[in-house]
């Protein structure tokens, strides 16, 4: 089957049992995406499928035939870190770093959701078409990404720096 | 995982043709099925991917809303008609799982997701749902999250969906199809109570595919909401949840009401007794409390979950108070 990973089309032959996460890590040697729980509970395996954040551990790779997958390895531009990657460093958004690739991919997908007006469980006015990226909104929307080291405050600070600035523009 | 073949279906006829085979299962986002297959609790030998089916949300002339079975949970919750006309449904979906999971999960898969009873997942435990006749380790075990309504000596598990609680309150209709034909079923009748056969969870016939959900016109559902009580602020299943739709008249009476509970039973629980106790009565806290009592009169606590009865009572009252307090 044909699948695009970080902009590059690839032909892969797979047992249908292979998860998208195992395709990335075991077959393509892209170890940036992490396996935490392998059952949907931690968010470490978050990648973007055509820009939407998903959990690669609960995805069979065959379901994503023909789709375009982005992982943390694809974010830097010619050796220059993605602004959100730099913000994670600046704000101590990690300790051990295990959850970080998932946090960053999730935040990028999350920002696109806020941008197109998707409400969240803490959005007071469901009819509103623009939703300010307040701390409460960001925390609720990032709740699918756990950090065992407790770096959540730095993580939200980093995301706030990048996406509140964008929203203000 | 046991081996299986995989095929994509682009339309309902192709899906049901493939799905009729013994051992075949439909695959939505996979967020529940792939997990259960990895645990070998589910062992299909053919997966029919139905995410290519209808992803349409259509507003019809009679005021009803048709939602295709393959629509992702996020897409339902962000749809303007759902947000404005059926806020209870948007709120229920947004309170479930995580952003990533809601992007993957389909409407059909959400409805047919299986229980989160820990003994169901643990193959060292006895579970009638997993192995019919084996016994149930939850009944005398750690059963804090289990059912208080409609349970049986065979199974005390709950249905975990938030979305279904809102669909139950809204009187949603499920559209079904297999090679023998198409039919519809009220959502509240789709799931079964466990009785003696907890392994049979729905009234679905072999190979039956959910093709769509229909929300009947309910103009007063603009005044509706969903409240979920759980162990942490986000990303946890409900201990108790309440979906409510309230039509209050100018003189403060309950003209009509829809109420459903989550986290309390083997199916999304439409609170018919509470509704009957409220219609035509004052929209007051005393009446809300009496209605909650009526609904919970038959509630039966297990060793660890007696708190759910009081929690359900308070949550029903709080949600109705909130809706009664909103100006029309
Ligand atoms: C960590 C975690 C937390 C979660 N928290 C919550 C929560 O708080 N609240 C909540 O409500 N849910 C929660 N969920 C569950 C989640 O909502 C479900 O897994 C999801 O809705 C299932 O949808 P799916 O499309 O991925 O289904 P799948 O996993 O693809 O399928 C589920 C079942 O539905 C069947 N099926 C799928 N589509 C059809 C169809 N069209 N016709 C007939 N059969 C079909 C499949 O055969 C399978 O049996 C959580 C899940 C995880 C992993
Ligand atoms: S409550 Fe139901 S699902 Fe849980 S162990 Fe008992 S039979 Fe199995
Ligand atoms: S590894 Fe996928 S959610 Fe934990
Ligand atoms: S930095 Fe260690 S888990 Fe998040």
């Amino acid at each position: 089957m044909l699948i695009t990973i970080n902009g590059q089309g690839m032909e892969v032959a797979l047992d249908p049992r292979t998860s998208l996460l195992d395709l990335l890590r075991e077959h393509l040697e892209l170890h940036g995406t992490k396996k935490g729980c392998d059952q949907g509970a931690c968010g470490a395996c978050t990648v973007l499928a055509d820009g939407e954040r998903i959990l690669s551990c609960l995805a069979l790779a065959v379901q994503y035939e023909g789709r375009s997958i982005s992982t943390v390895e694809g974010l830097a531009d010619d050796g220059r870190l993605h602004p959100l990657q730099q913000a994670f460093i600046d704000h101590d958004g990690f300790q051990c770093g295990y959850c970080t690739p998932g946090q960053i991919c999730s935040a990028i997908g999350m920002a696109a959701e806020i941008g197109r007006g998707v409400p969240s469980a803490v959005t007071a006015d469901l009819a509103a078409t623009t939703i300010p990226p307040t701390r409460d909104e960001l925390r609720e929307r990032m709740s699918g990404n756990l950090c065992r080291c407790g770096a959540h405050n730095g993580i939200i600070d980093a995301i706030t720096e990048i996406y509140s600035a964008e929203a203000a523009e | 995982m046991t081996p299986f073949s995989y095929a994509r279906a682009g339309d309902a006829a192709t899906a049901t043709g493939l799905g009729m085979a013994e051992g075949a299962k439909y695959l939505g986002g996979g967020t529940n099925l792939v997990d259960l297959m990895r645990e070998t609790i589910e062992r299909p030998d053919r997966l029919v991917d139905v995410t290519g089916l209808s992803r349409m949300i259509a507003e019809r002339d009679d005021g009803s809303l048709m939602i295709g079975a393959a629509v992702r949970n996020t897409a339902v919750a962000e749809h303007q008609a759902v947000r404005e006309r059926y806020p209870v449904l948007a709120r229920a979906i947004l309170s479930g799982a995580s952003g990533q999971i809601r992007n993957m999960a389909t409407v059909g898969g959400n409805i047919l997701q299986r229980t989160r009873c820990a003994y169901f997942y643990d193959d060292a435990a006895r579970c009638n749902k997993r192995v019919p006749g084996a016994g149930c380790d939850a009944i005398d075990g750690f059963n804090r999250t289990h059912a208080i309504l409609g349970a049986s000596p065979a199974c005390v598990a709950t249905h975990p969906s938030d979305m279904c609680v809102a669909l139950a309150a809204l009187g949603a209709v499920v559209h079904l199809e297999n090679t023998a034909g198409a039919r519809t079923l009220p959502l509240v009748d789709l799931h079964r109570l466990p009785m003696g056969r907890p392994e049979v969870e729905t009234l679905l016939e072999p190979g039956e595919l959910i093709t769509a959900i229909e929300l009947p016109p309910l103009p007063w559902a603009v005044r509706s909401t969903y409240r979920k009580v759980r162990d942490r602020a986000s990303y946890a299943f409900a201990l108790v949840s309440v979906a409510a739709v309230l039509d209050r008249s100018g003189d403060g009476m309950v003209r009509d009401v829809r109420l459903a509970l989550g986290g309390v039973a083997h199916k999304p629980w439409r609170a018919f007794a509470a509704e009957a106790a409220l219609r035509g009565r004052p929209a007051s806290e005393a009446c809300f409390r009496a209605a909650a009592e009526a609904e919970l009169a038959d509630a039966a606590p297990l060793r660890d979950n007696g708190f759910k009865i009081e929690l359900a009572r308070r949550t029903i009252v709080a949600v109705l108070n909130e809706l009664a307090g909103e100006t029309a």
Side-chain angles (χ1 to χ4, degrees):
Chain A
M1 67 171 220
L2 196 67
I3 186 166
T4 301
I5 311 283
N6 295 328
Q8 208 182 327
M10 309 203 171
E11 184 65 41
V12 291
L14 287 175
D15 183 312
R17 287 175 287 185
T18 315
S19 69
L20 181 58
L21 177 58
D22 286 342
L23 167 65
L24 295 170
R25 290 183 56 87
E26 312 298 331
H27 297 253
L28 303 176
E29 308 261 321
L30 289 167
H31 298 135
T33 308
K34 297 294 185 272
K35 185 183 282 190
C37 63
D38 214 21
Q39 53 186 18
C42 75
C45 65
T46 304
V47 298
L48 299 166
D50 298 308
E52 298 246 300
R53 52 180 175 161
I54 60 159
L55 298 179
S56 60
C57 72
L58 292 184
L60 296 173
V62 284
Q63 292 173 276
Y64 291 81
E65 177 175 4
R67 305 280 298 275
S68 177
I69 307 297
S70 309
T71 70
V72 72
E73 286 93 342
L75 297 180
D77 185 12
D78 221 1
R80 260 192 33 251
L81 291 181
H82 184 283
L84 188 60
Q85 289 175 307
Q86 186 59 49
F88 265 66
I89 297 172
D90 297 342
H91 291 275
D92 286 333
F94 55 87
Q95 285 179 41
C96 77
Y98 200 79
C99 70
T100 315
Q103 300 277 4
I104 290 177
C105 288
S106 181
I108 291 171
M110 186 261 329
E113 290 162 16
I114 292 202
R116 66 170 202 265
V118 179
S120 84
V122 300
T123 307
D125 179 9
L126 276 187
T129 44
T130 53
I131 297 159
T134 61
R135 210 169 170 87
D136 273 357
E137 282 283 357
L138 297 179
R139 284 168 54 89
E140 162 59 26
R141 289 166 193 266
M142 290 300 293
S143 70
N145 291 83
L146 307 189
C147 173
R148 194 199 47 166
C149 298
H152 289 106
N153 286 331
I155 292 168
I156 299 297
D157 289 343
I159 297 171
T160 303
E161 180 200 315
I162 301 304
Y163 294 114
S164 294
E166 252 179 36
E169 269 164 25
Chain B
M1 264 188 231
T2 50
F4 58 86
S5 66
Y6 169 89
R8 287 184 187 189
D11 55 62
T14 312
T16 54
L18 292 166
M20 274 310 275
E22 180 85 27
K25 280 210 78 102
Y26 297 120
L27 175 68
T31 60
N32 189 223
L33 186 53
V34 168
D35 190 26
L36 291 169
M37 286 168 62
R38 197 170 279 145
E39 302 288 335
T40 67
I41 295 166
E42 298 269 19
R43 290 183 291 271
D45 45 42
R46 171 189 284 176
L47 286 184
V48 182
D49 186 335
V50 293
T51 55
L53 264 62
S54 170
R55 294 198 186 177
M56 281 270 292
I57 301 183
E59 295 187 64
R60 297 195 303 185
D61 291 343
D62 65 356
S64 62
L65 200 66
M66 284 291 275
I67 304 176
V71 179
R72 306 289 173 169
N73 286 189
T74 304
V76 179
E78 78 173 293
H79 195 274
Q80 211 56 36
V82 175
R83 288 156 72 166
E84 285 170 11
R85 293 172 46 202
Y86 304 97
V88 61
L89 178 57
R91 292 243 178 255
I93 291 172
L94 294 169
S95 76
S98 67
Q100 292 95 315
I101 293 171
R102 294 192 296 270
N103 283 342
M104 302 171 80
T106 61
V107 167
N110 189 315
I111 294 171
L112 294 177
Q113 62 174 299
R114 304 197 67 191
T115 185
R116 307 306 281 201
C117 172
Y119 301 100
F120 172 68
Y121 270 80
D122 174 5
D123 68 8
R126 294 180 308 151
C127 171
N128 285 323
K129 195 184 276 299
R130 188 162 28 78
V131 182
C136 168
D137 274 344
I139 289 183
D140 296 312
F142 185 66
N143 47 33
R144 188 172 168 271
T145 60
H146 289 71
I148 51 171
L149 290 166
S152 78
C155 178
V156 294
T158 57
H159 191 266
S161 168
D162 291 296
M163 181 185 84
C164 286
V165 185
L167 292 179
L170 291 170
V173 175
V174 186
H175 288 244
L176 301 170
E177 189 171 325
N178 67 8
T179 48
R183 62 173 180 143
T184 60
L185 209 57
L187 178 102
V188 290
D189 295 336
L190 178 71
H191 298 94
R192 287 177 73 252
L193 287 176
M195 298 180 276
R197 301 202 56 195
E199 76 282 10
V200 186
E201 293 171 346
T202 66
L203 296 186
L204 290 183
E205 300 285 342
E208 236 173 357
L209 173 77
I210 298 178
T211 54
I213 289 289
E214 178 182 349
L215 301 182
L218 199 64
W220 46 282
V222 293
R223 191 193 291 220
S224 67
T225 196
Y226 186 74
R227 191 177 295 193
K228 176 173 179 180
V229 185
R230 44 185 157 177
D231 282 327
R232 54 183 188 199
S234 186
Y235 202 23
F237 288 95
L239 291 167
V240 164
S241 69
V242 174
V245 190
L246 182 69
D247 184 13
R248 197 194 52 169
S249 62
D251 56 356
M253 305 296 274
V254 176
R255 207 160 17 214
D256 207 346
V257 61
R258 300 289 166 77
L259 204 62
L261 309 179
V264 296
H266 197 253
K267 58 184 287 182
W269 188 269
R270 176 79 176 266
F272 288 112
E275 292 179 8
L278 281 169
R279 271 187 206 102
R281 310 275 303 158
S284 68
E285 175 150 347
C287 287
F288 298 158
R289 193 168 301 279
E293 299 290 353
E295 191 62 47
L296 295 164
D298 295 331
L302 300 162
R303 190 190 74 192
D304 303 321
N305 71 354
F307 73 96
K308 281 194 179 185
I309 299 176
E310 180 60 21
L311 190 59
R313 187 180 295 133
R314 290 187 197 185
T315 310
I316 291 170
V317 173
V319 166
L320 291 172
N321 267 335
E322 178 189 328
L323 289 177
E326 278 175 23
T327 44

